[in-house]
């Protein structure tokens, strides 16, 4: 088809520590660049914060709206005034909002990505999510020409909660970072463990400290597994704290503070080492729109036990063992099973097969086809 001009609300890429939606946006943009299409792509950034080097075929554009102002004022200036102005001035054909929100404009086609609706289903799971954000996200999904849902589970939620017709929702799964491969070099793994102070075998979870992620339940299940089965492992939680006080007090109350480690942020380059050095990966979340960390763990050869919640069974298939996130006894049994039996060659092969089904190249091709259909 003829050349399109596509723009992205790219402010989330300004963060020096990309997690979750930031990693989704970066991986999608880089995979689209690798396709080498004839289309033109703009990354639109607010003022303030670093702009990462754009990939080939993409141009980065700094806009005068400051990104560090109060949320409601920023939303009014960015989504209601500046992005519509940019769309008109640059003759943008399509604007993609990768993080729930879109400007109010009819001058271009619009696509918005919805990752999950946990903040709508249980607001207490997302205490930092404002009523203004929830209202704008709901309006954006209803106004968009197309909604990208990262899983069928999220698609069902968008239909049921936002009331968006199913035919306007495209399910495009996320992909595994190509760098997520097993690290089999014992010296490299030993050096990583020493650098991070991980002096014993460890069970790993990569997640933020939001209430939805169920870290208190994981700690209670871990303490139970130590009591009933004598597990000698550390429990390592890596992720973004978002200013939360942390689970150390819970660990102290359960008598496992000496076996618990929290790592506030792990650079993407260290993730293959973190996954490969772990004995087991556990994901105890109450709800997930996709669940990329357990899929990355499988790609690195680490066995996975996960909650039977949201999109996790859809994404992990037969490559994980599941438990009810509210059943701490069942979670403890899954931990014991995982460290004793989860590393069989058959389980490892199932994990590799499952992870190979999810690639960013496929996600990029499906996304560009959606753009072309709309334009």
């Amino acid at each position: 088809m003829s050349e399109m001009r596509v723009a992205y609300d790219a402010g989330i890429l300004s963060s020096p520590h990309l997690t979750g939606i930031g990693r989704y946006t970066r991986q999608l943009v880089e995979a689209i660049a690798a396709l080498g299409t004839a289309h033109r792509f703009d990354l639109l950034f607010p003022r303030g914060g670093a702009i990462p080097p754009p990939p080939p075929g993409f141009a980065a554009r700094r806009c005068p709206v400051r990104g560090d102002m109060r949320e409601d004022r920023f939303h009014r200036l960015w989504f209601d005034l500046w992005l519509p102005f940019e769309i008109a001035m640059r003759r943008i054909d399509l604007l993609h909002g990768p993080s729930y929100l879109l400007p109010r404009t009819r001058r271009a086609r619009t696509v918005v990505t919805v990752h999950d609706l946990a903040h709508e289903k249980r607001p207490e799971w997302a205490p930092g999510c404002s009523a203004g954000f929830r209202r704008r996200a709901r309006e954006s999904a209803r106004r968009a020409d197309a909604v990208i849902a990262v899983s069928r589970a999220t698609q069902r939620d968008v239909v049921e909660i936002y009331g968006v017709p199913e035919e306007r929702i495209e399910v495009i799964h996320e992909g595994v970072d190509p760098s997520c491969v097993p690290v089999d070099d014992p010296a490299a793994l030993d050096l990583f463990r020493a650098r991070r102070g991980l002096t014993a075998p460890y069970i790993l979870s990569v997640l933020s400290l939001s209430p939805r992620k169920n870290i208190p339940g994981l700690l209670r299940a871990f303490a139970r597994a130590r009591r009933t089965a004598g597990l000698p492992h550390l429990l390592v939680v890596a992720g973004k704290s978002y200013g939360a006080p942390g689970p150390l007090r819970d660990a102290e109350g359960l008598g496992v503070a000496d076996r618990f480690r929290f790592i506030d942020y792990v650079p993407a380059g260290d993730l293959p080492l973190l996954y490969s050095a772990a004995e087991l990966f556990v994901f105890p979340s109450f709800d997930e729109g996709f669940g990329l960390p357990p899929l990355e763990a499988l790609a690195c050869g680490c066995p996975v036990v996960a909650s039977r919640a949201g999109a996790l069974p859809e994404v992990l298939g037969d490559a994980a063992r599941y438990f009810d996130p509210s059943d701490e006894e069942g979670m403890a049994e899954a931990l014991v099973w995982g460290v004793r039996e989860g590393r069989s060659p058959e389980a490892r092969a199932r994990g590799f097969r499952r992870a190979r089904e999810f690639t960013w190249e496929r996600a990029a091709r499906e996304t560009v086809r959606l753009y072309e259909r709309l334009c």
Side-chain angles (χ1 to χ4, degrees):
M1 66 167 290
S2 58
E3 178 186 274
M4 290 184 300
R5 186 161 193 175
V6 177
Y8 298 82
D9 174 8
I12 197 166
L13 296 180
S14 298
S15 171
H17 300 320
L18 294 183
T19 61
I21 298 172
R23 291 187 65 204
Y24 162 87
T25 305
R26 185 196 66 194
Q27 295 278 12
L28 179 64
V29 162
E30 290 179 351
I32 289 174
L35 296 179
T37 72
H39 306 308
R40 299 165 64 195
F41 300 96
D42 291 329
L43 300 173
L44 305 179
F45 292 88
R47 186 156 57 93
I51 292 183
F58 281 70
R61 309 203 179 275
R62 175 85 79 180
C63 302
V65 177
R66 287 201 342 265
D68 59 353
M69 64 180 68
R70 199 177 63 199
E71 181 192 79
D72 58 343
R73 180 169 171 78
F74 173 76
H75 284 176
R76 285 198 302 272
L77 293 175
W78 184 247
F79 292 106
D80 298 341
L81 294 176
W82 192 258
L83 285 184
F85 174 77
E86 283 285 305
I87 287 168
M89 289 297 294
R90 300 190 186 280
R91 298 184 180 181
I92 301 297
D93 296 304
L94 182 144
L95 185 124
H96 185 167
S99 181
Y100 293 94
L101 302 181
L102 286 172
R104 294 186 175 99
T105 180
R106 297 313 305 171
R107 288 179 174 269
R109 294 290 195 172
T110 53
V111 173
V112 68
T113 300
V114 176
H115 300 269
D116 65 71
L117 291 184
H119 56 275
E120 292 283 359
K121 293 188 281 188
R122 295 282 296 274
E124 66 271 23
W125 284 345
C129 183
S130 69
F133 173 88
R134 292 198 297 270
R135 174 180 54 78
R136 281 186 177 268
R138 187 163 50 245
E139 292 173 357
S140 295
R142 291 171 177 170
R143 192 170 59 240
D145 292 298
V147 174
I148 292 176
V150 297
S151 64
R152 289 188 295 276
T154 296
Q155 179 191 44
R156 290 192 295 271
D157 287 343
V158 173
V159 171
E160 294 170 7
I161 297 172
Y162 281 171
V164 177
E166 187 173 330
E167 59 269 18
R168 278 183 34 221
I169 306 172
E170 191 87 2
V171 176
I172 301 179
H173 289 126
E174 299 180 33
V176 174
D177 188 322
S179 69
C180 279
V181 295
V183 179
D184 296 321
D185 180 357
L189 294 175
D190 287 344
L191 182 62
F192 172 78
R193 293 188 192 98
R195 178 159 53 91
R196 289 290 185 173
L198 304 175
T199 55
Y202 65 89
I203 297 168
L204 172 68
S205 197
V206 175
L207 34 70
S208 68
L209 296 191
S210 79
R212 172 169 60 108
K213 300 300 186 176
N214 192 24
I215 295 178
L218 172 59
L219 280 166
R220 289 191 291 270
F222 175 68
R224 179 188 287 267
R226 280 185 52 79
R227 286 195 309 270
T228 59
L231 293 187
H233 298 69
L234 300 173
L235 175 63
V236 176
V237 172
K240 195 169 182 178
S241 67
Y242 295 104
L248 184 57
R249 284 179 301 184
D250 292 332
E252 289 172 348
L254 293 164
V256 294
D258 63 326
R259 310 306 295 168
F260 176 72
R261 303 287 186 275
F262 177 71
I263 303 173
D264 190 41
Y265 178 75
V266 179
D270 275 356
L271 283 174
L273 287 161
L274 184 70
Y275 291 131
S276 297
E279 291 282 305
L280 176 69
F281 186 92
V282 56
F283 210 62
S285 182
F286 285 121
D287 189 74
E288 283 297 323
F290 186 78
L292 190 55
L295 195 62
E296 292 176 334
L298 291 176
C300 292
C302 183
V304 170
V305 295
S307 68
R308 194 181 293 103
L312 292 174
E314 172 188 340
V315 172
L316 303 176
D318 67 349
R321 173 166 171 157
Y322 299 99
F323 52 82
D324 181 334
S326 300
D327 177 8
E328 290 158 15
E329 183 178 359
M331 196 189 310
E333 291 172 356
L335 294 176
V336 174
W337 175 88
V339 298
R340 291 181 176 173
E341 303 180 45
R343 301 191 72 85
S344 70
E346 296 81 6
R348 189 175 163 97
R350 280 198 303 273
F352 289 146
R353 284 196 301 270
R354 190 65 181 178
R356 283 195 295 268
E357 295 178 24
F358 297 86
T359 69
W360 282 112
E361 179 186 1
R362 172 203 44 75
R365 291 190 185 281
E366 292 176 3
T367 301
V368 171
R369 279 199 294 269
L370 174 62
Y371 297 165
E372 293 172 345
R373 257 196 338 267
L374 292 175
C375 291

